[in-house]
Amino acid sequence: MPNLTNKTLSQLLLDLGFEQGQVTDKNHRVFRHPESGCTLLLPNNKSSEPPRPADLIGVKTHLAYQGHLEEDAFDHFVERGKLQERSVEG
C-alpha cells in the first residue's frame, strides 16, 4: 500500500463531489455529497496518518452503495494511491 493517509482519503471524497463540512465534538470531519445526501466522517486531527481499517471499509461500502465509486475502483485507489482515469463518476 502506498502512503495512503486520511488526507489522501479526504481528497478522494472532494474529487468525488463531496463537500467538507464541520468538525464534530469527537474531532471528525463531516463530508456530505449534495446530490445523494451521503454523509461520511473521517478523523480530522490525524490527516498524515494512515486511515483506520474500519474507516476504509465504511467509506468503501458507502461510496459503492450510493453509486459514487465501485468497490474495485476503491480497492485500486487504496492499493495505488490514485484512481483509474475512468473510475471517477462524481
Side-chain angles (χ1 to χ4, degrees):
M1 176 166 44
N3 290 331
L4 186 64
T5 63
N6 284 309
K7 183 177 181 178
T8 309
L9 190 54
S10 296
Q11 186 59 52
L12 171 67
L13 296 178
L14 296 173
D15 292 346
L16 291 173
F18 283 76
E19 295 176 351
Q20 189 169 290
Q22 74 276 11
V23 176
T24 68
D25 292 341
K26 302 278 186 190
N27 211 17
H28 284 78
R29 176 71 63 180
V30 176
F31 290 87
R32 283 196 178 89
H33 194 272
E35 284 117 34
S36 71
C38 183
T39 301
L40 298 167
L41 298 173
L42 290 178
N44 191 54
N45 61 338
K46 300 179 180 184
S47 63
S48 62
E49 294 182 14
R52 299 177 302 179
D55 291 335
L56 287 174
I57 291 168
V59 170
K60 174 181 175 176
T61 302
H62 278 17
L63 291 178
Y65 179 75
Q66 295 287 335
H68 296 292
L69 190 65
E70 293 180 7
E71 289 186 3
D72 290 345
F74 185 84
D75 290 340
H76 181 273
F77 171 79
V78 170
E79 291 170 11
R80 302 210 171 106
K82 61 182 180 177
L83 288 175
Q84 295 171 313
E85 287 298 316
R86 64 181 186 274
S87 296
V88 178
E89 297 175 16

